[in-house]
mmCIF file of all heavy atoms in Angstrom:
data_model
loop_
_atom_site.group_PDB
_atom_site.id
_atom_site.type_symbol
_atom_site.label_atom_id
_atom_site.label_comp_id
_atom_site.label_asym_id
_atom_site.label_seq_id
_atom_site.Cartn_x
_atom_site.Cartn_y
_atom_site.Cartn_z
ATOM 1 N N GLN A 95 -8.128 -45.562 -85.870
ATOM 2 C CA GLN A 95 -7.526 -46.724 -85.225
ATOM 3 C C GLN A 95 -8.317 -47.244 -84.031
ATOM 4 O O GLN A 95 -8.430 -48.455 -83.851
ATOM 5 C CB GLN A 95 -6.078 -46.450 -84.844
ATOM 6 C CG GLN A 95 -5.887 -45.302 -83.888
ATOM 7 C CD GLN A 95 -4.438 -44.946 -83.701
ATOM 8 O OE1 GLN A 95 -3.794 -45.528 -82.836
ATOM 9 N NE2 GLN A 95 -3.922 -44.021 -84.479
ATOM 10 N N GLN A 96 -8.907 -46.358 -83.224
ATOM 11 C CA GLN A 96 -9.642 -46.836 -82.053
ATOM 12 C C GLN A 96 -10.833 -47.701 -82.463
ATOM 13 O O GLN A 96 -11.063 -48.758 -81.881
ATOM 14 C CB GLN A 96 -10.106 -45.670 -81.179
ATOM 15 C CG GLN A 96 -10.616 -46.120 -79.813
ATOM 16 C CD GLN A 96 -9.567 -46.913 -79.043
ATOM 17 O OE1 GLN A 96 -8.445 -46.460 -78.829
ATOM 18 N NE2 GLN A 96 -9.899 -48.129 -78.638
ATOM 19 N N ASP A 97 -11.573 -47.284 -83.485
ATOM 20 C CA ASP A 97 -12.692 -48.095 -83.981
ATOM 21 C C ASP A 97 -12.201 -49.436 -84.519
ATOM 22 O O ASP A 97 -12.812 -50.477 -84.265
ATOM 23 C CB ASP A 97 -13.459 -47.353 -85.085
ATOM 24 C CG ASP A 97 -14.197 -46.132 -84.572
ATOM 25 O OD1 ASP A 97 -14.502 -46.076 -83.356
ATOM 26 O OD2 ASP A 97 -14.454 -45.227 -85.389
ATOM 27 N N LEU A 98 -11.101 -49.399 -85.272
ATOM 28 C CA LEU A 98 -10.559 -50.636 -85.821
ATOM 29 C C LEU A 98 -10.053 -51.562 -84.721
ATOM 30 O O LEU A 98 -10.267 -52.774 -84.767
ATOM 31 C CB LEU A 98 -9.442 -50.326 -86.822
ATOM 32 C CG LEU A 98 -9.900 -49.618 -88.098
ATOM 33 C CD1 LEU A 98 -8.700 -49.139 -88.906
ATOM 34 C CD2 LEU A 98 -10.788 -50.525 -88.929
ATOM 35 N N PHE A 99 -9.388 -51.001 -83.710
ATOM 36 C CA PHE A 99 -8.910 -51.825 -82.588
ATOM 37 C C PHE A 99 -10.085 -52.440 -81.837
ATOM 38 O O PHE A 99 -10.034 -53.605 -81.432
ATOM 39 C CB PHE A 99 -8.046 -51.009 -81.624
ATOM 40 C CG PHE A 99 -6.715 -50.592 -82.189
ATOM 41 C CD1 PHE A 99 -6.064 -49.484 -81.678
ATOM 42 C CD2 PHE A 99 -6.104 -51.285 -83.215
ATOM 43 C CE1 PHE A 99 -4.832 -49.085 -82.170
ATOM 44 C CE2 PHE A 99 -4.881 -50.893 -83.729
ATOM 45 C CZ PHE A 99 -4.245 -49.783 -83.203
ATOM 46 N N ASP A 100 -11.151 -51.657 -81.649
ATOM 47 C CA ASP A 100 -12.342 -52.195 -80.966
ATOM 48 C C ASP A 100 -12.931 -53.355 -81.761
ATOM 49 O O ASP A 100 -13.293 -54.382 -81.190
ATOM 50 C CB ASP A 100 -13.396 -51.094 -80.760
ATOM 51 C CG ASP A 100 -12.967 -50.048 -79.739
ATOM 52 O OD1 ASP A 100 -12.000 -50.301 -78.980
ATOM 53 O OD2 ASP A 100 -13.588 -48.961 -79.723
ATOM 54 N N ARG A 101 -13.019 -53.193 -83.092
ATOM 55 C CA ARG A 101 -13.516 -54.287 -83.944
ATOM 56 C C ARG A 101 -12.613 -55.505 -83.844
ATOM 57 O O ARG A 101 -13.087 -56.643 -83.763
ATOM 58 C CB ARG A 101 -13.590 -53.832 -85.397
ATOM 59 C CG ARG A 101 -14.827 -53.058 -85.741
ATOM 60 C CD ARG A 101 -14.923 -52.743 -87.230
ATOM 61 N NE ARG A 101 -14.809 -53.917 -88.059
ATOM 62 C CZ ARG A 101 -14.300 -53.905 -89.304
ATOM 63 N NH1 ARG A 101 -13.870 -52.783 -89.842
ATOM 64 N NH2 ARG A 101 -14.226 -55.019 -90.010
ATOM 65 N N LEU A 102 -11.301 -55.260 -83.867
ATOM 66 C CA LEU A 102 -10.352 -56.374 -83.773
ATOM 67 C C LEU A 102 -10.470 -57.096 -82.438
ATOM 68 O O LEU A 102 -10.421 -58.325 -82.381
ATOM 69 C CB LEU A 102 -8.914 -55.872 -83.941
ATOM 70 C CG LEU A 102 -8.375 -55.837 -85.349
ATOM 71 C CD1 LEU A 102 -7.023 -55.148 -85.389
ATOM 72 C CD2 LEU A 102 -8.281 -57.229 -85.937
ATOM 73 N N ARG A 103 -10.625 -56.331 -81.358
ATOM 74 C CA ARG A 103 -10.745 -56.961 -80.039
ATOM 75 C C ARG A 103 -12.013 -57.818 -79.954
ATOM 76 O O ARG A 103 -12.031 -58.824 -79.264
ATOM 77 C CB ARG A 103 -10.716 -55.909 -78.935
ATOM 78 C CG ARG A 103 -9.308 -55.559 -78.508
ATOM 79 C CD ARG A 103 -9.287 -54.707 -77.239
ATOM 80 N NE ARG A 103 -9.663 -53.329 -77.498
ATOM 81 C CZ ARG A 103 -8.851 -52.401 -77.980
ATOM 82 N NH1 ARG A 103 -7.619 -52.710 -78.283
ATOM 83 N NH2 ARG A 103 -9.271 -51.171 -78.167
ATOM 84 N N ALA A 111 -2.306 -52.609 -79.834
ATOM 85 C CA ALA A 111 -1.184 -51.899 -80.442
ATOM 86 C C ALA A 111 -0.156 -51.702 -79.340
ATOM 87 O O ALA A 111 -0.506 -51.487 -78.183
ATOM 88 C CB ALA A 111 -1.626 -50.553 -80.989
#
Side-chain angles (χ1 to χ4, degrees):
Q95 60 188 272
Q96 192 57 55
D97 292 337
L98 293 170
F99 291 156
D100 291 345
R101 278 186 54 210
L102 270 172
R103 274 191 284 279

